[in-house]
Amino acid sequence: MTDVPQAADENRHRAPQREAPRLFEHIERALATGIGILLSLAALLALTGAATLAWDGAVQWPQTRSLFGIVERLLFVLMLVEILHTVRASIQSHALACEPFLIVGMIATIRRILVVTLETSDRPTESNVLSGSMSSFNNAMIELSVLGLLTLVLAVAIYLSRRSKG
């Protein structure tokens, strides 16, 4: 008879040890779900903004500046969708993969390249260039070079990540 109370006592001590990981798993799942909902909302709002820019661009057709804004907004939506995919995959598999983050980095780098290119193309021609704007042009070219190198590094990292899986 003394064995039964000892076993019950041991089960009481083990119960909190089993319940704590479950509690944290539920909290983690709830937080990831909340993040997923907010990311979905942000992606929908950004997509709506891109549609609005597209409509405005169609109305004011000859201006190409709106096209760059549309592409930039759509790349932002693509980044959000890729992050949302990562959150969903981590909820399902209980593991965090590096490849989706590399893809988001690649999209962000390409997005920045487009923005710098647009900003540089809106600058005055060389006949109107002052020394300050020449300096900013040089800075933009350095930034584009670094971004190009970063794009190459991310592409190699994605390739190696996929190759190591197979």
Side-chain angles (χ1 to χ4, degrees):
M1 286 199 150
T2 58
D3 291 336
V4 174
Q6 285 178 348
D9 191 39
E10 287 177 14
N11 285 339
R12 278 189 220 135
H13 290 297
R14 288 184 193 166
Q17 292 174 348
R18 287 187 214 145
E19 292 300 319
R22 282 188 194 156
L23 176 66
F24 287 127
E25 185 177 321
H26 291 302
I27 291 171
E28 178 185 354
R29 187 166 289 171
L31 288 173
T33 303
I35 289 170
I37 290 169
L38 291 175
L39 282 171
S40 298
L41 181 62
L44 286 172
L45 291 173
L47 188 60
T48 303
T52 304
L53 283 174
W55 178 257
D56 292 343
V59 170
Q60 303 169 354
W61 168 240
Q63 295 179 353
T64 59
R65 181 159 177 81
S66 63
L67 292 175
F68 290 112
I70 295 166
V71 171
E72 181 186 1
R73 187 75 53 97
L74 289 175
L75 286 172
F76 179 69
V77 171
L78 189 59
M79 286 171 45
L80 290 175
V81 168
E82 192 64 36
I83 293 170
L84 184 62
H85 169 73
T86 304
V87 169
R88 182 182 56 82
S90 69
I91 289 173
Q92 290 176 344
S93 68
H94 299 289
L96 196 59
C98 68
E99 185 178 334
F101 291 105
L102 294 171
I103 292 172
V104 168
M106 176 77 83
I107 295 167
T109 303
I110 292 169
R111 183 174 175 251
R112 182 63 189 159
I113 288 171
L114 289 173
V115 169
V116 171
T117 303
L118 177 64
E119 290 172 352
T120 305
S121 68
D122 283 347
R123 300 229 172 95
T125 60
E126 273 192 47
S127 61
N128 299 336
V129 171
L130 303 171
S131 63
S133 57
M134 190 61 171
S135 171
S136 67
F137 178 78
N138 288 338
N139 290 339
M141 292 302 106
I142 292 170
E143 184 177 0
L144 284 174
S145 299
V146 170
L147 288 169
L149 182 63
L150 181 59
T151 302
L152 180 63
V153 168
L154 287 170
V156 169
I158 291 169
Y159 171 76
L160 292 175
S161 172
R162 288 184 179 172
R163 190 168 180 219
S164 69
K165 288 180 186 177

